[in-house]
Amino acid sequence: MTKLVRWLLGLVIILGILLLIAGMYFFQVAQVRDPKSNQPDTLRTETNALYQYEHQFLAREKQTWYETSNDGLKLDAWYVPADKKTSKTAILAHGWHNNKTTMAIYGELFHELGYNVLIPDNRAHGESQGKMIGYGWLDRRDYMQWLHQIIKKNGQQSDIVMYGMSMGAATVLSTSGEKDLPKQVKAVIADSSYTSVWEEMKHEAGDMYGLPWFPLVNVVSGISKIRAGYTYSEASPVKQVAKSQQPTLFIQGGGDTFVPAHMVYTLYDALHAPKELWIGKNSKHIQSFNDHPIAYREKVKTFLEKYDQ
């Protein structure tokens, strides 16, 4: 072996080790439970447009529901019955590194509209167990179990709407494409979902870190397969949407750069079922409700009046 070949081989090994170390670091950041996500959110001030939504919902009396995932994790959720007895229930899914308190504003929105409200802590978030974040892919099967618990407790006549924001939007879209989705699910509302974890991670590699996505995202995805049980290409809301038969309202902030706004059009086009699209003008990631509270509420209300009656 010549000196040049040995030098090149050594360089390849060093670069491989550095790439693996970088991959393990980014996997830790992206996919391993962050203790900060276990803590309640900092509450809004009185000047915030959604202050009343948040404080009114958090003050409501809540039941605690539990579920056990297929891989043995104890999951936790809040349940708030509607003021008037109803068969209608909204299940709400939060985003990455969030928890139940993040969803208080949406909980109050659906409570105002007459729904029972169930808000789980996703695995590896809040008071639910788990170390590995599911990015909506592992969570889709957890939500199937929550759906069956709603039906068991509230009856076969249950009428269920799924709502999610960001990773939670990916969760409900991924759930909607499951072949064993209960017939009681009548509609889906997804605010700011990515098309796939693969595409989102490619975007974030450049947007947040200024790095080329190849081969780093490939390495992190491979680590995910080993440690979390799924690759980033598997975790694909757009593939699930293509199998869904549920009326779906897609919401996206027009100024979103965290989940690029163009992704919503790919998701919208993939669905072969009744669908609507609403863009929050100039809104950043998951800020459409905050920026346009009256228009947001009206859009959700009219969509549900059309598809959940």
Side-chain angles (χ1 to χ4, degrees):
M1 185 181 293
T2 66
K3 184 181 291 186
L4 176 60
V5 172
R6 288 197 299 270
W7 184 85
L8 289 174
L9 182 59
L11 179 61
V12 169
I13 292 172
I14 290 170
L15 290 175
I17 292 171
L18 291 175
L19 184 59
L20 181 60
I21 291 171
M24 293 173 67
Y25 168 78
F26 285 110
F27 175 83
Q28 179 76 26
V29 170
Q31 225 163 319
V32 177
R33 185 184 195 118
D34 181 353
K36 293 178 182 177
S37 69
N38 303 348
Q39 306 303 316
D41 285 1
T42 300
L43 301 185
R44 290 167 171 79
T45 64
E46 293 186 25
T47 58
N48 188 280
L50 300 177
Y51 171 83
Q52 290 297 331
Y53 278 88
E54 182 175 67
H55 283 256
Q56 286 173 3
F57 188 80
L58 292 176
R60 294 189 183 281
E61 186 175 345
K62 303 172 186 67
Q63 301 172 17
T64 301
W65 285 16
Y66 299 101
E67 190 57 77
T68 302
S69 70
N70 291 331
D71 52 348
L73 301 176
K74 185 178 181 181
L75 307 176
D76 182 282
W78 281 341
Y79 179 77
V80 177
D83 286 338
K84 295 182 179 180
K85 188 174 178 61
T86 180
S87 61
K88 292 180 179 291
T89 301
I91 181 169
L92 314 184
H94 65 72
W96 181 72
H97 283 183
N98 295 150
N99 54 55
K100 295 190 295 286
T101 58
T102 309
M103 303 305 290
I105 56 174
Y106 307 103
E108 186 63 19
L109 170 61
F110 281 92
H111 190 271
E112 277 188 359
L113 295 176
Y115 286 79
N116 308 310
V117 176
L118 180 69
I119 309 178
D121 275 332
N122 282 21
R123 57 172 57 217
H125 292 82
E127 296 179 88
S128 290
Q129 293 180 342
K131 187 176 181 180
M132 297 299 161
I133 295 172
Y135 276 98
W137 188 244
L138 300 180
D139 310 283
R140 81 194 195 286
R141 297 310 302 178
D142 299 339
Y143 274 70
M144 289 290 290
Q145 293 185 227
W146 286 120
L147 293 172
H148 285 295
Q149 185 171 167
I150 292 170
I151 295 164
K152 182 178 179 180
K153 290 184 174 179
N154 291 357
Q156 288 295 319
Q157 78 285 1
S158 291
D159 179 310
I160 303 172
V161 171
M162 298 192 297
Y163 171 94
M165 61 89 161
S166 193
M167 187 186 80
T171 298
V172 298
L173 291 177
S174 295
T175 306
S176 75
E178 293 294 274
K179 62 182 180 181
D180 55 344
L181 185 75
K183 64 181 181 180
Q184 288 84 354
V185 177
K186 304 301 182 183
V188 178
I189 303 174
D191 185 340
S192 308
S193 174
Y194 39 80
T195 52
S196 68
V197 177
W198 178 261
E199 291 299 327
E200 179 62 15
M201 292 302 182
K202 283 173 60 178
H203 169 73
E204 293 306 330
D207 188 62
M208 290 186 68
Y209 298 101
L211 297 171
W213 69 266
F214 179 83
L216 180 59
V217 174
N218 303 70
V219 172
V220 182
S221 178
I223 295 171
S224 174
K225 183 64 173 179
I226 294 168
R227 296 192 58 189
Y230 65 95
T231 66
Y232 290 168
S233 58
E234 285 180 85
S236 176
V238 72
K239 292 179 183 178
Q240 292 292 98
V241 164
K243 297 184 288 184
S244 174
Q245 297 299 313
Q246 308 307 311
T248 302
L249 170 60
F250 297 93
I251 298 173
Q252 183 72 34
D256 194 345
T257 57
F258 185 75
V259 173
H262 67 80
M263 288 190 177
V264 75
Y265 298 102
T266 303
L267 291 164
Y268 181 85
D269 290 341
L271 180 65
H272 304 292
K275 55 189 174 182
E276 295 185 11
L277 171 64
W278 184 72
I279 304 296
K281 186 177 180 180
N282 298 325
S283 292
K284 299 298 184 183
H285 188 57
I286 59 170
Q287 293 303 305
S288 296
F289 191 19
N290 183 80
D291 297 344
H292 314 282
I294 296 174
Y296 194 104
R297 183 186 187 282
E298 186 60 25
K299 188 63 185 178
V300 170
K301 179 175 180 288
T302 55
F303 174 78
L304 294 175
E305 287 174 345
K306 185 174 182 180
Y307 293 108
D308 187 34
Q309 291 301 317

